[in-house]
């Protein structure tokens, strides 16, 4: 049983397109996150939702919009894709907000987005 | 700007050797320090979460210590095995909702 799942695993698309990446967790966690792994392999937090409420919104272009239909899902929608959006995107979840003594995070398998 | 630095960037050790790496983080506004193990083509897997100065955690042959006053944590692996080969990431959380990952230490254990 996969704890945190993402679809699709690979996404190849052209510049200017709009695409979505879906994330689901079956751990009963309250908090979900999106991370971007950049070309230098850094993991950078993009968004965090707690009980469907946006908590963290780092400096991310507003072409990126997270949507949380319920506690178990946090989808990432990207408009007008650019070459620089190519990266691996990881979804994660944790029991509570990380500031509350920092529960460990469980990561999904990642989605490799390639924009051509 | 909050910086989390890990050293060394990479290292190779022989099977059976013990090794350790460092994570340096801001000592102010500290909430917690996480260690993750990240194998190639997989996703990061949590090893430890430490919140108190002087914390020591252990899981099998892997252990970690925390010094929040000086802003560093050590991860130790005793008797390294080839399956320990991975990137070890630390992440710092602060009271201002920041969750910042280090650049990782890539460990290769040679059989």
């Amino acid at each position: 049983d996969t704890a945190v799942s993402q679809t699709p695993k690979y996404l190849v698309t052209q510049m200017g397109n709009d695409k979505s990446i879906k994330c689901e967790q079956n751990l009963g966690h309250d908090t979900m996150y999106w991370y971007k792994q950049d070309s230098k392999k850094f993991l950078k937090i993009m968004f965090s939702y707690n009980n469907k409420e946006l908590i963290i919104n780092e400096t991310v272009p507003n072409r990126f919009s997270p949507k949380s239909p319920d506690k178990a899902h946090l989808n990432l929608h990207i408009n007008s894709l650019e070459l620089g959006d190519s990266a691996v995107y990881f979804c994660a979840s944790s029991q509570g907000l990380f500031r509350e003594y920092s529960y460990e995070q469980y990561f999904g398998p990642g989605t490799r987005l390639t924009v051509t | 700007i909050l910086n989390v630095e890990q050293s060394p960037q990479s290292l190779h050790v022989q099977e059976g050797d013990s090794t350790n790496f460092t994570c340096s983080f801001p000592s102010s506004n500290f909430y917690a320090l996480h260690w993750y193990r990240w194998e190639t083509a997989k996703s990061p897997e949590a090893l430890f979460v430490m919140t108190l100065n002087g914390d020591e955690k252990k899981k099998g042959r892997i252990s970690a210590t925390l010094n929040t006053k000086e802003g560093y944590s050590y991860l130790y692996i005793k008797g390294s095995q080839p399956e320990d080969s991975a990137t070890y990431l630390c992440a710092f959380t602060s009271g201002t909702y920041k969750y910042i990952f280090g650049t990782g230490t890539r460990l290769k254990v040679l059989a």
Side-chain angles (χ1 to χ4, degrees):
Chain A
D1 235 4
T2 307
V4 182
S5 59
Q6 291 178 231
T7 52
K9 194 165 181 182
Y10 300 97
L11 183 53
V12 181
T13 189
Q14 291 185 324
M15 280 174 57
N17 284 348
D18 302 339
K19 289 292 178 186
S20 292
I21 306 172
K22 295 186 177 181
C23 178
E24 177 181 1
Q25 53 95 3
N26 62 7
L27 298 166
H29 287 167
D30 289 334
T31 309
M32 295 184 73
Y33 312 82
W34 276 108
Y35 288 88
K36 180 180 179 182
Q37 182 190 14
D38 63 22
S39 55
K40 294 185 180 177
K41 306 295 184 188
F42 286 121
L43 265 184
K44 291 187 178 175
I45 192 163
M46 300 171 70
F47 301 104
S48 168
Y49 268 71
N50 179 252
N51 280 318
K52 301 190 335 179
E53 181 188 344
L54 181 64
I55 300 298
I56 293 173
N57 184 350
E58 289 294 303
T59 309
V60 176
N62 57 15
R63 297 181 295 103
F64 290 78
S65 53
K67 296 236 177 349
S68 182
D70 55 59
K71 233 171 54 162
H73 295 85
L74 181 63
N75 303 324
L76 184 65
H77 189 75
I78 316 170
N79 287 330
S80 304
L81 277 154
E82 299 177 357
L83 292 176
D85 297 333
S86 296
V88 181
Y89 292 85
F90 286 94
C91 175
S93 73
S94 68
Q95 187 176 348
L97 274 177
F98 57 72
R99 61 184 168 142
E100 294 166 346
Y101 302 108
S102 302
Y103 300 102
E104 59 190 19
Q105 295 193 9
Y106 292 77
F107 283 80
T111 295
R112 182 175 293 277
L113 171 65
T114 304
V115 183
T116 61
Chain B
I1 295 176
L2 296 175
N3 250 352
V4 177
E5 295 181 358
Q6 292 186 244
S7 62
Q9 246 186 359
S10 66
L11 77 161
H12 291 65
V13 301
Q14 291 293 325
E15 183 176 357
D17 286 352
S18 292
T19 187
N20 65 85
F21 1 105
T22 308
C23 172
S24 301
F25 53 86
S27 54
S28 61
N29 213 2
F30 174 87
Y31 255 78
L33 193 283
H34 301 241
W35 279 100
Y36 289 85
R37 181 172 177 274
W38 194 0
E39 288 182 72
T40 304
K42 293 189 178 179
S43 47
E45 178 190 338
L47 285 173
F48 306 115
V49 179
M50 295 184 287
T51 56
L52 299 174
N53 185 42
D55 256 356
E56 290 188 26
K57 298 270 174 133
K58 188 174 178 183
K59 189 182 283 191
R61 294 178 292 98
I62 306 178
S63 59
T65 61
L66 178 68
N67 184 324
T68 60
K69 294 186 178 178
E70 295 180 44
Y72 64 84
S73 174
Y74 293 137
L75 187 81
Y76 301 90
I77 303 179
K78 189 176 174 183
S80 304
Q81 300 296 308
E83 58 265 29
D84 295 329
S85 298
T87 295
Y88 291 84
L89 287 176
C90 67
F92 160 82
T93 58
S94 75
T96 54
Y97 315 138
K98 291 294 181 185
Y99 195 92
I100 301 168
F101 277 89
T103 51
T105 292
R106 281 169 288 285
L107 173 67
K108 176 78 175 171
V109 181
L110 306 168

